[in-house]
Amino acid sequence: MRGRPKRTTKKVKQYGDGDEGSPAPSDEGGQQADATQQRDELEEESVEVGNGEGKKDDENGYDEEDEPVIKKKKATPKKSNTKGAGGKKGAAAPRRARLSVFVNLPLDVVCEILGHLDVQTLLALTRTSQVFRSILVAPSGKGLWKAARERVMLPDLTATDLTEWAYASLVYERSCHCCQKKNAPTVDYCLRGRGCKACMKKNSLRQGKIKFGYHPKTLECVPSSLWMDMEFYWVPTVRHVSSLLYAASKDVPADGGESEFDQLVSERKKIVQCAKADGAKLQFWERTDLNRRKAEEGDLIIKRKEQLEERMRELGYTDQDFSSYAWTSHSLVNQPRELTDRIWNTVRPKLTAVLDDAKGRNGPALPFRPFKFDTFDAFETFM
């Protein structure tokens, strides 16, 4: 590696009267004048040389002026790898700027907007920013959750151990409470737990299967679920309540009154009774809500099919074309989504191709002729 450039000086060679290589004089007077002027004047010139800590002598054939100058590359700014909603790089910053306008709105305006959202959207907003989380998780945000639950007829809980945010997470989230695995279908509203198949087998246990040490009063203070005439307990809840009971048992009142331990046991027993009633209500709500959503999806499918048939009639198709199996079973027809202009422009070429293909395969439609069977003509030959 070459070092920092050094500044040096170089003396100009003087030519005397008898030196070799001196220019030939044109005349004697001019020669003497030039020689005297060269002896009296010394010229120095500053020469910038290239990088090099040690310079070679002229005897080695090294010329400082011939050393190349190393140019530094200009620093180019790095491009952002963040992709926005449109899939283009660098589009996340404008999107964040648009969202910041909503966050900077007055608090009463934000609460008014949040009051018109459903439970799933409120639950997603708690994980969006600290502003929304502080509003929704705080005790003052209980009214927002209650208004959202009333729109879907989700019942109120009589037990006081679950917050509104935890209640919504138990009902609507599909991730396992133990391993955070997505799409965990099994939920037990009495145990207040949701888990995947492996975690439910590991954490939902009978009394004889719980191997770790817990407080003797723990199972009386923990909700249980009845499966196949056997009581099961949620292991994370057992551990938590057992630690609370051990901590409360150390507090012994001096005046002989009710201790903190006795208060905790009585409170937990009330929660156990309320949890069983809440679990039965939630199971009934889940069945009714599933039927309601299926009915709404069926209405949307019928409405979409009618809208599609109306627009296809404008293109020249008839009701007989819509009776083909290719039309009635097509996935673009049987969707629980309302038809819009944008969707119509997308699905029109595909649906017209389906109807044209079905018409060409079946041939021209023939008029319906009912079959008549004359019993006299059939048995006339045997008489």
Side-chain angles (χ1 to χ4, degrees):
M1 296 293 294
R2 295 177 180 268
R4 192 174 180 179
K6 294 184 179 180
R7 191 177 186 88
T8 59
T9 58
K10 183 178 180 181
K11 293 183 179 181
V12 180
K13 188 176 181 181
Q14 300 177 2
Y15 295 96
D17 293 338
D19 295 338
E20 295 181 3
S22 60
S26 59
D27 53 274
E28 294 181 357
Q31 181 180 4
Q32 292 178 358
D34 294 336
T36 304
Q37 186 177 0
Q38 290 177 0
R39 283 193 301 267
D40 295 341
E41 297 179 356
L42 293 175
E43 298 177 356
E44 294 181 1
E45 59 180 0
S46 297
V47 179
E48 289 290 335
V49 297
N51 295 333
E53 294 181 358
K55 300 187 298 295
K56 298 183 179 179
D57 298 333
D58 292 339
E59 296 176 358
N60 299 330
Y62 184 86
D63 191 359
E64 296 177 348
E65 295 182 355
D66 295 339
E67 186 173 353
V69 179
I70 301 176
K71 295 183 180 180
K72 294 183 178 181
K73 295 182 178 180
K74 294 183 179 180
T76 57
K78 295 183 178 180
K79 296 182 179 180
S80 175
N81 293 328
T82 307
K83 294 186 179 181
K88 297 181 179 180
K89 294 184 178 181
R95 184 174 59 183
R96 286 195 296 266
R98 292 194 297 268
L99 292 176
S100 64
V101 176
F102 179 71
V103 176
N104 295 328
L105 289 175
L107 184 59
D108 55 346
V109 178
V110 174
C111 292
E112 182 66 23
I113 296 173
L114 296 179
H116 296 276
L117 302 178
D118 54 5
V119 182
Q120 296 95 320
T121 307
L122 293 179
L123 191 62
L125 285 176
T126 58
R127 294 172 174 82
T128 303
S129 66
Q130 294 181 354
V131 177
F132 293 133
R133 185 176 181 85
S134 61
I135 295 173
L136 295 171
V137 179
S140 58
K142 185 177 180 180
L144 299 173
W145 295 99
K146 188 174 182 179
R149 286 193 292 105
E150 289 178 352
R151 284 192 287 270
V152 292
M153 295 178 289
L154 189 62
D156 296 330
L157 296 181
T158 55
T160 59
D161 60 331
L162 281 183
T163 61
E164 289 287 347
W165 171 80
Y167 182 23
S169 176
L170 174 65
V171 176
Y172 286 102
E173 281 194 337
R174 293 295 180 266
S175 58
C176 179
H177 289 180
C178 300
C179 65
Q180 306 303 321
K181 183 180 179 180
K182 295 182 180 180
N183 298 326
T186 308
V187 58
D188 194 314
Y189 294 117
C190 295
L191 297 181
R192 315 294 183 82
R194 180 185 292 273
C196 59
K197 185 178 180 180
C199 291
M200 289 297 293
K201 186 177 181 180
K202 181 180 178 180
N203 293 284
S204 178
L205 302 177
R206 290 178 293 168
Q207 180 179 357
K209 297 292 184 179
I210 302 177
K211 301 301 182 181
F212 61 90
Y214 53 88
H215 196 276
K217 289 281 187 179
T218 302
L219 299 184
E220 300 178 10
C221 304
V222 173
S224 61
S225 178
L226 193 65
W227 288 0
M228 300 176 63
D229 298 332
M230 292 181 292
E231 282 190 333
F232 288 80
Y233 301 90
W234 191 244
V235 173
T237 308
V238 172
R239 294 182 184 274
H240 175 66
V241 174
S242 178
S243 62
L244 294 178
L245 291 174
Y246 275 120
S249 61
K250 299 178 182 179
D251 182 20
V252 179
D255 55 354
E258 188 179 9
S259 63
E260 182 182 353
F261 177 79
D262 297 333
Q263 294 178 1
L264 178 61
V265 170
S266 61
E267 181 182 352
R268 291 299 309 181
K269 286 183 177 180
K270 293 179 181 178
I271 291 175
V272 169
Q273 295 177 357
C274 296
K276 291 183 178 179
D278 293 339
K281 288 192 298 185
L282 287 174
Q283 289 175 2
F284 177 76
W285 172 84
E286 189 176 40
R287 290 192 298 267
T288 56
D289 184 69
L290 180 61
N291 296 332
R292 179 185 59 83
R293 287 187 283 110
K294 285 184 178 179
E296 290 179 355
E297 290 180 0
D299 295 340
L300 288 175
I301 291 174
I302 294 174
K303 185 177 180 180
R304 179 189 178 94
K305 188 177 295 186
E306 292 176 352
Q307 292 174 346
L308 285 173
E309 290 176 357
E310 182 179 356
R311 298 210 181 195
M312 297 299 284
R313 289 189 190 96
E314 297 176 358
L315 299 179
Y317 295 94
T318 61
D319 294 341
Q320 191 173 359
D321 298 327
F322 306 140
S323 61
S324 62
Y325 179 77
W327 171 264
T328 56
S329 62
H330 202 278
S331 59
L332 295 178
V333 178
N334 299 313
Q335 284 188 6
R337 296 179 61 186
E338 190 174 355
L339 187 66
T340 60
D341 294 336
R342 182 182 62 83
I343 297 176
W344 167 246
N345 293 331
T346 304
V347 304
R348 180 177 58 183
K350 300 178 182 179
L351 293 179
T352 54
V354 169
L355 291 179
D356 294 340
D357 183 54
K359 186 183 297 185
R361 202 169 47 240
N362 299 331
L366 298 176
F368 176 73
R369 295 180 180 179
F371 178 75
K372 294 183 180 180
F373 182 77
D374 194 346
T375 56
F376 180 78
D377 296 338
F379 293 97
E380 186 177 4
T381 56
F382 299 97
M383 295 180 65

